[in-house]
Amino acid sequence: HLFQEQLFDRSPHKPVFDAMQMASCVTCHSNHRIDPTSDAMVGTGEKSLCLNCHVEGDAGFTTASQMHDALTRLDQQLAQVDEVLDHATRAGMQISEARIVQANAKEKLIKARVQVHAFAPGEVDTIIREGLQLANQAHQAGQQALDELAFRRKGLALSLLAIAFVVLSLWLVLRELERRQAAKANRF
């Protein structure tokens, strides 16, 4: 947690916490009730820690809302990427490069969640934009794989129809040949 502490130390909260003699990590995260972290801790929702000090209309409230919205946006985009790539994987499509891009996008979300401790929405947004760009790339790669799958299935269906037509034609030709042979044998 050293990195989070370093980010906090250069945040606008540090001088305020120092002036009020409040411990940096413990004030928001407690030392007895160590809850699993989540994006809900940042923002303006009922589980937000920001609401312990900030009220609607102040700069901190707006900042918390902006950071939460940015985190949520990338998290939701990554959920869509998971869905598309999982579908492509189940279909047997090769998407290993898209998985690498997806992993990089997930790493950006983690970095943005850490960056929240600087309480600088511009810095969080920069990381989120990079993550969204990577997530979009992974999503497009997954969608291209699914489009290729659809194309292959159509090609397979057309091939099967062509094969069925040839088999039916051969059967009809053989049947006609057999009928002619039988008619020829009956003449003699």
Side-chain angles (χ1 to χ4, degrees):
H1 294 104
L2 178 63
F3 189 63
Q4 286 90 333
E5 184 177 4
Q6 290 172 344
L7 289 171
F8 181 85
D9 286 347
R10 65 181 179 90
S11 79
H13 286 95
K14 177 68 173 162
V16 174
F17 278 42
D18 286 348
M20 297 174 70
Q21 297 180 345
M22 297 167 55
S24 56
C25 300
V26 175
T27 299
C28 296
H29 295 284
S30 176
N31 64 342
H32 298 291
R33 185 195 79 245
I34 301 173
D35 295 326
T37 60
S38 75
D39 293 343
M41 295 174 83
V42 176
T44 56
E46 66 180 53
K47 294 182 180 180
S48 170
L49 298 174
C50 305
L51 295 181
N52 292 338
C53 299
H54 297 284
V55 295
E56 190 169 356
D58 74 18
F61 186 92
T62 303
T63 297
S65 180
Q66 289 171 344
M67 290 190 301
H68 180 266
D69 291 348
L71 293 170
T72 300
R73 197 168 49 251
L74 180 53
D75 193 41
Q76 289 173 345
Q77 180 66 22
L78 285 169
Q80 292 175 3
V81 171
D82 283 339
E83 188 177 310
V84 169
L85 294 183
D86 288 348
H87 183 190
T89 298
R90 285 190 307 275
M93 300 304 291
Q94 177 21 313
I95 55 160
S96 58
E97 288 182 27
R99 288 289 188 191
I100 292 169
V101 174
Q102 175 194 33
N104 290 336
K106 286 182 178 183
E107 186 177 317
K108 292 293 183 183
L109 179 59
I110 292 167
K111 286 181 179 180
R113 286 173 172 155
V114 171
Q115 191 65 39
V116 161
H117 292 86
F119 303 98
E123 294 175 21
V124 173
D125 281 342
T126 298
I127 297 169
I128 292 292
R129 276 193 305 275
E130 293 168 359
L132 286 169
Q133 184 178 16
L134 291 167
N136 287 333
Q137 289 174 7
H139 190 273
Q140 287 174 353
Q143 194 57 54
Q144 287 173 346
L146 292 175
D147 292 345
E148 183 180 335
L149 174 65
F151 178 76
R152 289 179 185 183
R153 286 181 175 170
K154 288 175 187 172
L156 177 62
L158 289 174
S159 298
L160 289 175
L161 285 174
I163 291 168
F165 177 75
V166 169
V167 168
L168 180 61
S169 297
L170 287 174
W171 179 73
L172 290 172
V173 167
L174 287 174
R175 197 169 138 195
E176 180 62 26
L177 288 174
E178 288 173 353
R179 188 185 64 75
R180 286 183 188 174
Q181 266 185 334
K184 196 177 193 182
N186 286 340
R187 276 193 261 159
F188 296 112

